[in-house]
mmCIF file of all heavy atoms in Angstrom:
data_model
loop_
_atom_site.group_PDB
_atom_site.id
_atom_site.type_symbol
_atom_site.label_atom_id
_atom_site.label_comp_id
_atom_site.label_asym_id
_atom_site.label_seq_id
_atom_site.Cartn_x
_atom_site.Cartn_y
_atom_site.Cartn_z
ATOM 1 N N ILE A 1 56.073 56.420 38.973
ATOM 2 C CA ILE A 1 54.741 57.187 38.934
ATOM 3 C C ILE A 1 54.984 58.469 39.670
ATOM 4 O O ILE A 1 55.185 58.495 40.926
ATOM 5 C CB ILE A 1 53.604 56.306 39.503
ATOM 6 C CG1 ILE A 1 53.338 55.137 38.700
ATOM 7 C CG2 ILE A 1 52.413 57.234 39.575
ATOM 8 C CD1 ILE A 1 52.310 54.156 39.321
ATOM 9 N N GLU A 2 55.071 59.637 38.942
ATOM 10 C CA GLU A 2 55.297 60.848 39.601
ATOM 11 C C GLU A 2 54.021 61.418 40.263
ATOM 12 O O GLU A 2 52.949 61.322 39.817
ATOM 13 C CB GLU A 2 55.864 61.905 38.527
ATOM 14 C CG GLU A 2 57.187 61.634 38.130
ATOM 15 C CD GLU A 2 57.838 62.796 37.591
ATOM 16 O OE1 GLU A 2 57.290 63.734 37.039
ATOM 17 O OE2 GLU A 2 59.109 62.879 37.733
ATOM 18 N N THR A 3 54.216 62.016 41.403
ATOM 19 C CA THR A 3 53.198 62.673 42.214
ATOM 20 C C THR A 3 53.739 63.971 42.728
ATOM 21 O O THR A 3 54.931 64.309 42.317
ATOM 22 C CB THR A 3 52.705 61.883 43.444
ATOM 23 O OG1 THR A 3 53.820 61.718 44.204
ATOM 24 C CG2 THR A 3 52.213 60.506 42.967
ATOM 25 N N ASP A 4 53.000 64.751 43.359
ATOM 26 C CA ASP A 4 53.523 66.021 43.958
ATOM 27 C C ASP A 4 54.680 65.751 44.839
ATOM 28 O O ASP A 4 55.608 66.542 44.967
ATOM 29 C CB ASP A 4 52.400 66.815 44.753
ATOM 30 C CG ASP A 4 51.357 67.345 43.682
ATOM 31 O OD1 ASP A 4 51.701 67.460 42.487
ATOM 32 O OD2 ASP A 4 50.262 67.579 44.179
ATOM 33 N N GLU A 5 54.637 64.588 45.576
ATOM 34 C CA GLU A 5 55.721 64.165 46.500
ATOM 35 C C GLU A 5 56.809 63.422 45.910
ATOM 36 O O GLU A 5 57.962 63.478 46.483
ATOM 37 C CB GLU A 5 55.134 63.418 47.625
ATOM 38 C CG GLU A 5 54.027 64.096 48.500
ATOM 39 C CD GLU A 5 52.670 64.029 47.816
ATOM 40 O OE1 GLU A 5 52.415 63.073 47.162
ATOM 41 O OE2 GLU A 5 51.849 64.999 48.036
ATOM 42 N N VAL A 6 56.573 62.702 44.949
ATOM 43 C CA VAL A 6 57.581 61.744 44.344
ATOM 44 C C VAL A 6 57.893 62.167 42.818
ATOM 45 O O VAL A 6 57.067 62.302 42.048
ATOM 46 C CB VAL A 6 57.099 60.298 44.242
ATOM 47 C CG1 VAL A 6 58.129 59.424 43.661
ATOM 48 C CG2 VAL A 6 56.711 59.760 45.669
ATOM 49 N N LYS A 7 59.267 62.386 42.615
ATOM 50 C CA LYS A 7 59.719 62.791 41.275
ATOM 51 C C LYS A 7 60.759 61.862 40.801
ATOM 52 O O LYS A 7 61.525 61.280 41.660
ATOM 53 C CB LYS A 7 60.319 64.224 41.293
ATOM 54 C CG LYS A 7 59.231 65.326 41.722
ATOM 55 C CD LYS A 7 58.114 65.471 40.754
ATOM 56 C CE LYS A 7 57.153 66.553 41.120
ATOM 57 N NZ LYS A 7 55.918 66.403 40.423
ATOM 58 N N ALA A 8 60.889 61.544 39.610
ATOM 59 C CA ALA A 8 61.886 60.646 39.077
ATOM 60 C C ALA A 8 63.240 61.280 39.361
ATOM 61 O O ALA A 8 63.425 62.515 38.997
ATOM 62 C CB ALA A 8 61.645 60.416 37.568
ATOM 63 N N GLY A 9 64.222 60.522 39.785
ATOM 64 C CA GLY A 9 65.511 60.928 39.987
ATOM 65 C C GLY A 9 66.436 60.531 38.893
ATOM 66 O O GLY A 9 65.938 60.079 37.809
ATOM 67 N N GLU A 10 67.763 60.574 38.997
ATOM 68 C CA GLU A 10 68.652 60.290 37.982
ATOM 69 C C GLU A 10 68.692 58.822 37.751
ATOM 70 O O GLU A 10 68.630 57.988 38.538
ATOM 71 C CB GLU A 10 70.119 60.590 38.506
ATOM 72 C CG GLU A 10 71.195 60.568 37.416
ATOM 73 C CD GLU A 10 72.539 61.067 37.789
ATOM 74 O OE1 GLU A 10 72.550 62.014 38.591
ATOM 75 O OE2 GLU A 10 73.443 60.415 37.285
ATOM 76 N N GLY A 11 68.559 58.545 36.410
ATOM 77 C CA GLY A 11 68.424 57.118 35.943
ATOM 78 C C GLY A 11 66.989 56.542 35.972
ATOM 79 O O GLY A 11 66.834 55.403 35.728
ATOM 80 N N GLN A 12 66.017 57.385 36.391
ATOM 81 C CA GLN A 12 64.668 56.899 36.406
ATOM 82 C C GLN A 12 63.894 57.692 35.327
ATOM 83 O O GLN A 12 64.193 58.830 34.968
ATOM 84 C CB GLN A 12 64.055 57.231 37.792
ATOM 85 C CG GLN A 12 64.793 56.522 38.844
ATOM 86 C CD GLN A 12 64.196 56.830 40.259
ATOM 87 O OE1 GLN A 12 63.935 58.063 40.648
ATOM 88 N NE2 GLN A 12 64.032 55.772 41.139
ATOM 89 N N LYS A 13 62.702 57.095 35.030
ATOM 90 C CA LYS A 13 61.898 57.752 34.027
ATOM 91 C C LYS A 13 60.516 57.975 34.526
ATOM 92 O O LYS A 13 59.908 57.092 35.279
ATOM 93 C CB LYS A 13 61.696 56.755 32.757
ATOM 94 C CG LYS A 13 63.016 56.440 31.992
ATOM 95 C CD LYS A 13 62.700 55.510 30.840
ATOM 96 C CE LYS A 13 63.858 55.337 29.994
ATOM 97 N NZ LYS A 13 63.403 54.383 28.850
ATOM 98 N N PRO A 14 59.951 59.142 34.433
ATOM 99 C CA PRO A 14 58.637 59.460 34.970
ATOM 100 C C PRO A 14 57.468 58.890 34.153
ATOM 101 O O PRO A 14 57.439 58.834 32.934
ATOM 102 C CB PRO A 14 58.598 60.994 34.899
ATOM 103 C CG PRO A 14 59.418 61.346 33.691
ATOM 104 C CD PRO A 14 60.490 60.231 33.697
ATOM 105 N N LEU A 15 56.447 58.377 34.938
ATOM 106 C CA LEU A 15 55.177 58.030 34.341
ATOM 107 C C LEU A 15 54.265 59.198 34.730
ATOM 108 O O LEU A 15 53.840 59.386 35.885
ATOM 109 C CB LEU A 15 54.651 56.721 34.907
ATOM 110 C CG LEU A 15 55.284 55.476 34.472
ATOM 111 C CD1 LEU A 15 54.897 54.261 35.345
ATOM 112 C CD2 LEU A 15 54.724 55.277 33.034
ATOM 113 N N LEU A 16 53.992 60.082 33.712
ATOM 114 C CA LEU A 16 53.237 61.239 33.928
ATOM 115 C C LEU A 16 51.718 61.029 33.811
ATOM 116 O O LEU A 16 51.259 60.284 33.010
ATOM 117 C CB LEU A 16 53.614 62.331 32.869
ATOM 118 C CG LEU A 16 55.039 62.804 32.826
ATOM 119 C CD1 LEU A 16 55.263 63.663 31.745
ATOM 120 C CD2 LEU A 16 55.399 63.405 34.200
ATOM 121 N N PRO A 17 50.812 61.676 34.753
ATOM 122 C CA PRO A 17 49.420 61.576 34.547
ATOM 123 C C PRO A 17 49.105 62.177 33.095
ATOM 124 O O PRO A 17 49.882 62.998 32.550
ATOM 125 C CB PRO A 17 48.944 62.555 35.635
ATOM 126 C CG PRO A 17 49.947 62.563 36.667
ATOM 127 C CD PRO A 17 51.316 62.411 35.867
ATOM 128 N N LEU A 18 47.995 61.776 32.586
ATOM 129 C CA LEU A 18 47.609 62.123 31.201
ATOM 130 C C LEU A 18 47.639 63.608 30.854
ATOM 131 O O LEU A 18 48.374 63.978 29.938
ATOM 132 C CB LEU A 18 46.140 61.578 30.914
ATOM 133 C CG LEU A 18 45.659 61.894 29.535
ATOM 134 C CD1 LEU A 18 46.604 61.199 28.376
ATOM 135 C CD2 LEU A 18 44.300 61.311 29.327
ATOM 136 N N ASP A 19 47.211 64.542 31.704
ATOM 137 C CA ASP A 19 47.238 65.903 31.505
ATOM 138 C C ASP A 19 48.609 66.469 31.442
ATOM 139 O O ASP A 19 48.941 67.274 30.586
ATOM 140 C CB ASP A 19 46.372 66.748 32.515
ATOM 141 C CG ASP A 19 44.886 66.442 32.270
ATOM 142 O OD1 ASP A 19 44.487 66.034 31.127
ATOM 143 O OD2 ASP A 19 44.072 66.725 33.233
ATOM 144 N N ALA A 20 49.465 66.036 32.346
ATOM 145 C CA ALA A 20 50.882 66.318 32.376
ATOM 146 C C ALA A 20 51.602 65.887 31.249
ATOM 147 O O ALA A 20 52.387 66.528 30.622
ATOM 148 C CB ALA A 20 51.529 65.932 33.711
ATOM 149 N N PHE A 21 51.290 64.623 30.745
ATOM 150 C CA PHE A 21 51.957 64.086 29.599
ATOM 151 C C PHE A 21 51.558 64.928 28.342
ATOM 152 O O PHE A 21 52.420 65.175 27.493
ATOM 153 C CB PHE A 21 51.460 62.650 29.422
ATOM 154 C CG PHE A 21 51.776 62.012 28.122
ATOM 155 C CD1 PHE A 21 53.080 61.498 27.942
ATOM 156 C CD2 PHE A 21 50.915 61.997 27.101
ATOM 157 C CE1 PHE A 21 53.403 60.939 26.708
ATOM 158 C CE2 PHE A 21 51.268 61.584 25.864
ATOM 159 C CZ PHE A 21 52.586 60.937 25.732
ATOM 160 N N LEU A 22 50.285 65.258 28.241
ATOM 161 C CA LEU A 22 49.787 66.000 27.132
ATOM 162 C C LEU A 22 50.512 67.405 26.984
ATOM 163 O O LEU A 22 50.835 67.858 25.920
ATOM 164 C CB LEU A 22 48.289 66.178 27.063
ATOM 165 C CG LEU A 22 47.576 64.809 26.775
ATOM 166 C CD1 LEU A 22 46.058 65.040 26.947
ATOM 167 C CD2 LEU A 22 47.921 64.271 25.494
ATOM 168 N N SER A 23 50.674 67.997 28.237
ATOM 169 C CA SER A 23 51.410 69.291 28.315
ATOM 170 C C SER A 23 52.873 69.058 27.898
ATOM 171 O O SER A 23 53.452 69.853 27.146
ATOM 172 C CB SER A 23 51.278 69.871 29.599
ATOM 173 O OG SER A 23 50.001 70.145 30.080
ATOM 174 N N ALA A 24 53.474 67.987 28.249
ATOM 175 C CA ALA A 24 54.984 67.742 28.025
ATOM 176 C C ALA A 24 55.116 67.441 26.620
ATOM 177 O O ALA A 24 56.112 68.076 25.972
ATOM 178 C CB ALA A 24 55.397 66.622 28.825
ATOM 179 N N VAL A 25 54.236 66.767 25.848
ATOM 180 C CA VAL A 25 54.481 66.383 24.487
ATOM 181 C C VAL A 25 54.191 67.741 23.623
ATOM 182 O O VAL A 25 54.724 67.728 22.479
ATOM 183 C CB VAL A 25 53.572 65.308 23.889
ATOM 184 C CG1 VAL A 25 54.110 63.965 24.547
ATOM 185 C CG2 VAL A 25 52.094 65.549 24.141
ATOM 186 N N ALA A 26 53.482 68.622 24.115
ATOM 187 C CA ALA A 26 53.261 69.869 23.444
ATOM 188 C C ALA A 26 54.480 70.785 23.454
ATOM 189 O O ALA A 26 54.670 71.735 22.645
ATOM 190 C CB ALA A 26 52.027 70.647 24.053
ATOM 191 N N GLU A 27 55.509 70.595 24.411
ATOM 192 C CA GLU A 27 56.576 71.375 24.652
ATOM 193 C C GLU A 27 57.894 70.766 24.149
ATOM 194 O O GLU A 27 58.871 71.493 24.104
ATOM 195 C CB GLU A 27 56.659 71.715 26.146
ATOM 196 C CG GLU A 27 55.576 72.643 26.620
ATOM 197 C CD GLU A 27 55.550 72.747 28.122
ATOM 198 O OE1 GLU A 27 56.562 72.446 28.814
ATOM 199 O OE2 GLU A 27 54.536 73.280 28.710
ATOM 200 N N THR A 28 57.815 69.489 23.838
ATOM 201 C CA THR A 28 59.061 68.914 23.474
ATOM 202 C C THR A 28 58.853 67.806 22.362
ATOM 203 O O THR A 28 57.655 67.366 22.054
ATOM 204 C CB THR A 28 59.677 68.090 24.677
ATOM 205 O OG1 THR A 28 60.865 67.504 24.212
ATOM 206 C CG2 THR A 28 58.723 67.087 25.292
ATOM 207 N N ASN A 29 59.898 67.474 21.722
ATOM 208 C CA ASN A 29 59.829 66.291 20.675
ATOM 209 C C ASN A 29 60.442 65.011 21.206
ATOM 210 O O ASN A 29 60.732 64.086 20.489
ATOM 211 C CB ASN A 29 60.675 66.721 19.433
ATOM 212 C CG ASN A 29 59.982 67.918 18.648
ATOM 213 O OD1 ASN A 29 58.700 67.919 18.721
ATOM 214 N ND2 ASN A 29 60.672 68.770 18.109
ATOM 215 N N GLU A 30 60.563 64.954 22.490
ATOM 216 C CA GLU A 30 61.198 63.840 23.244
ATOM 217 C C GLU A 30 60.302 62.505 22.797
ATOM 218 O O GLU A 30 59.078 62.523 22.702
ATOM 219 C CB GLU A 30 61.191 63.990 24.674
ATOM 220 C CG GLU A 30 62.034 62.991 25.406
ATOM 221 C CD GLU A 30 62.064 63.357 26.869
ATOM 222 O OE1 GLU A 30 61.754 64.478 27.302
ATOM 223 O OE2 GLU A 30 62.475 62.467 27.646
ATOM 224 N N VAL A 31 61.057 61.395 22.767
ATOM 225 C CA VAL A 31 60.493 60.039 22.661
ATOM 226 C C VAL A 31 60.731 59.220 23.773
ATOM 227 O O VAL A 31 61.557 59.552 24.651
ATOM 228 C CB VAL A 31 60.853 59.475 21.252
ATOM 229 C CG1 VAL A 31 60.397 60.215 20.125
ATOM 230 C CG2 VAL A 31 62.364 59.175 21.282
ATOM 231 N N GLY A 32 60.091 58.065 23.864
ATOM 232 C CA GLY A 32 60.423 57.109 25.048
ATOM 233 C C GLY A 32 59.781 57.571 26.227
ATOM 234 O O GLY A 32 60.312 57.265 27.318
ATOM 235 N N LEU A 33 58.627 58.143 26.134
ATOM 236 C CA LEU A 33 57.900 58.676 27.305
ATOM 237 C C LEU A 33 57.069 57.696 27.971
ATOM 238 O O LEU A 33 56.643 56.633 27.404
ATOM 239 C CB LEU A 33 57.055 59.884 26.833
ATOM 240 C CG LEU A 33 57.859 61.109 26.251
ATOM 241 C CD1 LEU A 33 56.863 62.075 25.649
ATOM 242 C CD2 LEU A 33 58.813 61.749 27.156
ATOM 243 N N GLY A 34 56.592 58.065 29.201
ATOM 244 C CA GLY A 34 55.647 57.138 29.910
ATOM 245 C C GLY A 34 54.452 57.911 30.394
ATOM 246 O O GLY A 34 54.667 59.150 30.786
ATOM 247 N N VAL A 35 53.313 57.311 30.352
ATOM 248 C CA VAL A 35 52.159 58.025 30.762
ATOM 249 C C VAL A 35 51.239 57.042 31.719
ATOM 250 O O VAL A 35 51.228 55.863 31.513
ATOM 251 C CB VAL A 35 51.252 58.395 29.591
ATOM 252 C CG1 VAL A 35 50.882 57.220 28.679
ATOM 253 C CG2 VAL A 35 50.044 59.377 30.019
ATOM 254 N N LEU A 36 50.657 57.614 32.703
ATOM 255 C CA LEU A 36 49.810 56.964 33.700
ATOM 256 C C LEU A 36 48.371 57.295 33.270
ATOM 257 O O LEU A 36 48.013 58.435 33.332
ATOM 258 C CB LEU A 36 50.080 57.402 35.114
ATOM 259 C CG LEU A 36 49.114 56.798 36.150
ATOM 260 C CD1 LEU A 36 49.247 55.268 36.270
ATOM 261 C CD2 LEU A 36 49.413 57.506 37.550
ATOM 262 N N ILE A 37 47.619 56.261 33.032
ATOM 263 C CA ILE A 37 46.192 56.378 32.664
ATOM 264 C C ILE A 37 45.344 56.004 33.964
ATOM 265 O O ILE A 37 45.429 54.875 34.394
ATOM 266 C CB ILE A 37 45.768 55.528 31.591
ATOM 267 C CG1 ILE A 37 46.517 55.952 30.298
ATOM 268 C CG2 ILE A 37 44.265 55.639 31.217
ATOM 269 C CD1 ILE A 37 46.419 57.380 29.742
ATOM 270 N N LYS A 38 44.453 56.910 34.321
ATOM 271 C CA LYS A 38 43.573 56.667 35.480
ATOM 272 C C LYS A 38 42.119 56.249 34.912
ATOM 273 O O LYS A 38 41.946 56.397 33.790
ATOM 274 C CB LYS A 38 43.475 57.906 36.288
ATOM 275 C CG LYS A 38 44.609 58.335 36.926
ATOM 276 C CD LYS A 38 44.636 59.501 37.893
ATOM 277 C CE LYS A 38 45.999 59.843 38.484
ATOM 278 N NZ LYS A 38 46.023 61.110 39.157
ATOM 279 N N PRO A 39 41.346 55.569 35.711
ATOM 280 C CA PRO A 39 40.121 55.057 35.243
ATOM 281 C C PRO A 39 39.235 55.945 34.435
ATOM 282 O O PRO A 39 38.652 55.597 33.462
ATOM 283 C CB PRO A 39 39.415 54.587 36.481
ATOM 284 C CG PRO A 39 40.528 54.312 37.374
ATOM 285 C CD PRO A 39 41.485 55.323 37.156
ATOM 286 N N ALA A 40 39.028 57.245 34.808
ATOM 287 C CA ALA A 40 38.234 58.217 34.045
ATOM 288 C C ALA A 40 38.920 58.844 32.973
ATOM 289 O O ALA A 40 38.260 59.686 32.324
ATOM 290 C CB ALA A 40 37.765 59.276 35.165
ATOM 291 N N ASP A 41 40.255 58.645 32.695
ATOM 292 C CA ASP A 41 40.922 59.319 31.588
ATOM 293 C C ASP A 41 40.314 58.838 30.223
ATOM 294 O O ASP A 41 39.848 57.674 30.109
ATOM 295 C CB ASP A 41 42.445 58.933 31.679
ATOM 296 C CG ASP A 41 43.094 59.851 32.666
ATOM 297 O OD1 ASP A 41 42.513 60.785 33.285
ATOM 298 O OD2 ASP A 41 44.216 59.395 33.095
ATOM 299 N N ASP A 42 40.486 59.709 29.197
ATOM 300 C CA ASP A 42 40.167 59.423 27.859
ATOM 301 C C ASP A 42 41.452 58.968 27.082
ATOM 302 O O ASP A 42 42.212 59.846 26.610
ATOM 303 C CB ASP A 42 39.390 60.591 27.180
ATOM 304 C CG ASP A 42 39.048 60.369 25.797
ATOM 305 O OD1 ASP A 42 39.245 59.217 25.232
ATOM 306 O OD2 ASP A 42 38.589 61.265 25.109
ATOM 307 N N VAL A 43 41.583 57.675 26.885
ATOM 308 C CA VAL A 43 42.822 57.203 26.185
ATOM 309 C C VAL A 43 42.906 57.574 24.915
ATOM 310 O O VAL A 43 43.983 57.607 24.202
ATOM 311 C CB VAL A 43 43.073 55.661 26.432
ATOM 312 C CG1 VAL A 43 43.162 55.295 27.862
ATOM 313 C CG2 VAL A 43 41.888 54.948 25.711
#
């Protein structure tokens, strides 16, 4: 789970907050992504 303090390192995959995930998918065609949904998010 990525935060301002914690980032995925080599061999790790990030779980991005919804807004960061939506920004990432707009910029890349990558698959196999992870997303973190918080209680107030719109899934």
Side-chain angles (χ1 to χ4, degrees):
I1 296 175
E2 287 204 332
T3 64
D4 290 337
E5 299 81 31
V6 177
K7 300 294 178 194
E10 190 172 327
Q12 296 178 320
K13 296 179 175 185
L15 283 166
L16 301 172
L18 181 60
D19 290 339
F21 170 83
L22 293 172
S23 296
V25 295
E27 298 172 7
T28 181
N29 290 327
E30 192 176 344
V31 296
L33 302 171
V35 61
L36 174 67
I37 299 297
K38 296 181 180 173
D41 286 343
D42 178 2
V43 296

